[in-house]
Amino acid sequence: MAPALLELTGVIVRFDSLVALNDVRFAVPAGGVTALIGPNGAGKTTCFNVVSGLQRATAGRVWFNGREITNLPPHRRAGIGRTFQIAQVFGDMTVLENVLVGVHPHLNGGVIAAGLWMPTVRRQEFWAAARAAELLRRVGLADVAERQARTLSLGQQRLLELARALAADPQLILLDEAASGLSPAETEAVVEHVRALRADGRTVLLVEHNMRFVHRLAEHLVVLNYGRVIYEGPADEGVRDPAVIAAYLGTALTHARV
Ligand SMILES: Nc1ncnc2c1ncn2[C@@H]1O[C@H](COP(=O)(O)OP(=O)(O)OP(=O)(O)O)[C@@H](O)[C@H]1O
Ligand SMILES: [Mg+2]
């Protein structure tokens, strides 16, 4: 197995009396696609929130690239990008501006220079706009760059989130149900984008209920049930694992779409 890019050890997240993550430990190998699956409420999104810094772990540690990131705020977790289960775009901004939000934290110059419209800032603005435009081309949204984001379809909003997440050039990208609510054609586009990310050398960790989607993309599988990891290993073996099948009884069938 490739060395781990991301590793969680003994992670616990408690919400009052509810233990959403209970001693979660798993590793995400560098350079491939790992799927994190499990029934509704298993703790998948909470896990993503812990990795991206939106949720503090009650206990346990998170490692990225050999460095502990457990207590770092989200903006100091360089190299990790994500999308959200419920697409989060800025509806009043244009599609291009939404991507620029992702590009800007990486620019130097600061507020004062920006206020004075210094030549360096102008160059950076030019660079940022070019980069955002290129990302939109990449996800197939170049034609709608000037539209307000709220006018996009759900499928387009998910692609816009992906472009914004890629703006920071992350090594690891977390996709929380990126294909949920999409048509078969839109789902196919997401599959191709995930493959392109892998071909780029990025590492993808995805949450997905659609088992066919998982089966086609992931080499490595982590299964959560009631906040605990019940399987970690090769994806093809995981889908045949009796404990995984038992956890999914009744839910996998309702979620199978493609
Ligand atoms: N901020 C919160 N406060 C209290 N409870 C929470 C909070 N966030 C999540 N939970 C609870 O933690 C558990 C795990 O939720 P989580 O959203 O991580 O599950 P999930 O595996 O992503 O589920 P789904 O497949 O439905 O998206 C659930 O019981 C949920 O209700
Ligand atoms: Mg979720």
Side-chain angles (χ1 to χ4, degrees), residues 30-44:
V33 178
T34 296
L36 175 64
I37 68 167
N40 293 115
K44 305 176 298 292

Side-chain angles (χ1 to χ4, degrees), residues 45 85 176-177:
T45 296
Q85 186 166 350
D176 196 348
E177 301 200 24

Side-chain angles (χ1 to χ4, degrees), residues 4 8 40 45 51 62 64 66 74 98 107 164 179-180 182 199 209 216 220 226-227 229 232 237 251:
L8 280 70
N40 293 115
T45 296
V51 173
V62 184
F64 178 64
N98 266 270
L107 300 181
R164 192 175 57 204
S180 147
L182 303 191
H209 283 294
R216 290 171 66 199
H220 192 66
Y226 293 111
V229 175
E232 180 182 10
E237 289 172 31
T251 57

